[in-house]
């Protein structure tokens, strides 16, 4: 088998591929797909490279070929791998775009991570579900309520009416980290519950943000209205109180964080009492997913998620 140089890229390619690249895209894809069952690994890698260049828009045609054109198990396996690789590259591109965005919207970032496991995720459906929960809470809030009263109302609707709850720690599951599944199943780990809680709260102008504790994740209701004079003098972090979303929104103060840290033999650090960045939240979400897939023995997913995590500073 003789290889020639592609005049555009200068890479060595199998000569028929140079001819295929001059066809219209539809014909090119059909011709490339027919080469997917070639036993020569080098030819398959060249075909894969050409298909990868075309991006996500060719996935429907690849899926159709997988269903209708049967050239053997090798063919189907290769199609599945190419589709997965294209989808993974798309998730990487979206995560990089999110990291380069000015606002780093937390919900959008969580949706990008969820697309790793659910490439066909309907983002609008996620937004609609969150909007429904937001509306139910908004109807009961008013400007005359204290921060404590607002959180009590939020808890009653979020955990009572919509029945969100913490998932068991005994069985780490990727589903407990993925925002679309948590919305459907109403069960999540501390991070995913706090993420949904804070996203909805902030959309209602409630200053509630995530706090990245070791082995746990909680929320802080920030002192946005300069009411620090009414706070415990020991609280130097600008926080009115903390919220444990995993415990159905229970409210506590900084002393409980200090006791928690003492119990796990860690010194108090400022970062354990103040809100973290949205990038840090996504990085921790990926860490949770990596751990869950490690427990499931899914080595490829672990490697890919580690690659995604490495993108976040």
């Amino acid at each position: 088998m003789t290889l020639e140089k592609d005049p555009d890229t200068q890479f060595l390619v199998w000569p028929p591929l140079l001819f295929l690249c001059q066809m219209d895209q539809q014909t090119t894809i059909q011709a490339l797909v027919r080469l997917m069952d070639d036993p020569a690994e080098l030819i398959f890698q060249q075909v894969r490279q050409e298909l990868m260049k075309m991006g996500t828009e060719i996935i429907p045609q690849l899926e159709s070929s997988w269903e209708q054109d049967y050239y053997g198990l090798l063919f189907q396996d290769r199609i599945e791998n190419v589709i997965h690789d294209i989808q993974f590259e798309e998730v990487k591109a979206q995560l990089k775009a999110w990291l380069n965005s000015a606002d780093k919207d937390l919900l959008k970032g969580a949706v990008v991570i969820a697309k790793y496991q659910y490439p066909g995720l309907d983002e609008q459906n996620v937004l609609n579900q969150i909007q429904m929960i937001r509306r139910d809470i908004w109807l009961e809030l008013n400007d005359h309520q204290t921060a404590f009263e607002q959180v009590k109302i939020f808890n009653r609707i979020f955990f009572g009416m919509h029945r969100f709850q913490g998932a068991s720690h005994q069985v780490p599951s990727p589903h407990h980290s993925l925002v679309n599944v948590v919305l459907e199943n109403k069960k999540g780990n501390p991070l995913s519950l706090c993420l949904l809680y804070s996203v909805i709260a902030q959309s209602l102008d409630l200053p509630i943000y995530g706090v990245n504790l070791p082995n746990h994740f909680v929320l802080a209701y920030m002192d946005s209205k300069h009411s620090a004079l009414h706070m415990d003098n020991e609280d130097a972090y600008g926080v009115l109180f903390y919220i444990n979303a995993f415990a159905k929104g229970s409210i506590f103060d900084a002393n409980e964080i200090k006791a928690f840290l003492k119990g796990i033999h860690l010194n108090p650090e400022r970062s354990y009492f103040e809100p973290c960045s949205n990038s840090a939240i996504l990085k921790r979400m990926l860490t949770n997913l990596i751990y869950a897939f490690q427990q499931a023995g899914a080595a490829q997913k672990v490697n890919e998620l580690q690659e995604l995590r490495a993108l976040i500073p």
Side-chain angles (χ1 to χ4, degrees):
M1 179 174 56
T2 304
L3 299 178
E4 295 180 9
K5 281 190 176 181
D6 183 329
D8 295 324
T9 65
Q10 295 301 302
F11 290 128
L12 291 173
V13 297
W14 188 45
L17 287 180
L18 293 174
F19 172 71
L20 290 177
C21 294
Q22 298 169 2
M23 302 178 181
D24 64 86
Q25 189 178 59
Q26 181 79 7
T27 306
T28 299
I29 294 171
Q30 291 173 350
L32 288 170
V33 166
R34 284 196 291 270
L35 290 170
M36 291 284 282
D37 68 334
D38 194 295
E41 182 65 21
L42 181 59
I43 292 176
F44 165 65
Q45 290 301 329
Q46 293 285 352
V47 170
R48 175 187 175 279
Q49 182 179 345
E50 294 301 321
L51 291 172
M52 292 285 293
K53 290 177 185 177
M54 299 179 189
T56 56
E57 65 183 49
I58 69 164
I59 288 179
Q61 191 165 341
L62 292 177
E63 290 175 334
S64 175
S65 183
W66 185 92
E67 294 172 355
Q68 298 175 14
D69 305 325
Y70 184 73
Y71 298 118
L73 293 177
L74 179 63
F75 170 80
Q76 289 191 323
D77 183 62
R78 283 176 168 177
I79 287 233
E80 290 169 4
N81 288 336
V82 169
I83 290 173
H84 174 77
D85 291 346
I86 291 172
Q87 291 168 336
F88 180 59
E89 289 301 316
E90 178 64 18
V91 170
K92 281 203 298 185
Q94 290 187 19
L95 181 56
K96 288 177 183 177
W98 184 88
L99 288 166
N100 291 326
S101 64
D103 59 344
K104 293 183 176 60
D105 182 273
L106 183 55
L107 180 59
K108 288 182 180 178
V111 167
V112 170
I113 300 302
K115 284 181 178 179
Y116 169 76
Q117 186 70 3
Y118 294 93
L121 173 62
D122 185 350
E123 186 172 348
Q124 188 58 50
N125 184 47
V126 170
L127 297 176
N128 291 344
Q129 290 181 75
I130 288 178
Q131 183 61 28
M132 181 178 64
I133 301 167
R134 180 195 181 277
R135 183 194 60 212
D136 290 340
I137 298 171
W138 172 77
L139 288 171
E140 305 230 11
L141 295 179
N142 64 64
D143 294 335
H144 303 294
Q145 295 158 345
T146 66
F148 183 82
E149 289 170 337
Q150 289 174 333
V151 168
K152 285 294 185 182
I153 290 170
F154 194 112
N155 289 345
R156 176 167 55 81
I157 297 169
F158 188 78
F159 298 107
M161 181 186 298
H162 288 279
R163 306 196 298 182
F164 284 96
Q165 60 182 301
S168 170
H169 280 305
Q170 296 178 353
V171 185
S173 169
H175 291 157
H176 298 154
S177 290
L178 302 171
V179 63
N180 58 315
V181 183
V182 176
L183 281 167
E184 290 291 340
N185 295 345
K186 310 297 185 182
K187 289 185 179 181
N189 57 30
L191 177 63
S192 60
L193 290 177
C194 283
L195 184 148
L196 285 174
Y197 195 115
S198 63
V199 163
I200 297 169
Q202 290 170 40
S203 75
L204 293 164
D205 296 324
L206 302 180
I208 298 175
Y209 302 90
V211 178
N212 205 355
L213 279 176
N215 303 331
H216 203 30
F217 200 92
V218 296
L219 297 163
Y221 193 113
M222 300 306 294
D223 178 34
S224 63
K225 298 181 180 178
H226 308 289
S227 54
L229 293 175
H230 304 290
M231 294 161 51
D232 188 328
N233 290 333
E234 293 183 2
D235 190 342
Y237 307 105
V239 177
L240 285 175
F241 51 80
Y242 296 91
I243 304 164
N244 186 352
F246 196 69
K248 297 190 175 181
S250 62
I251 293 171
F252 60 100
D253 62 20
N255 290 324
E256 289 196 38
I257 293 181
K258 293 173 185 176
F260 170 75
L261 293 171
K262 185 177 181 181
I264 58 175
H265 310 293
L266 286 177
N267 294 323
E269 295 182 9
R270 194 172 188 91
S271 61
Y272 299 153
F273 297 87
E274 294 180 329
C276 62
S277 68
N278 289 347
S279 296
I281 293 175
L282 254 62
K283 191 160 194 170
R284 178 130 182 200
M285 177 180 286
L286 286 166
T287 297
N288 290 343
L289 282 168
I290 289 167
Y291 176 71
F293 281 118
Q294 281 175 335
Q295 299 305 301
Q300 181 183 352
K301 289 184 180 294
V302 168
N303 292 335
E304 289 174 340
L305 288 165
Q306 287 174 336
E307 187 176 342
L308 292 178
R309 186 176 61 179
L311 297 175
I312 304 177

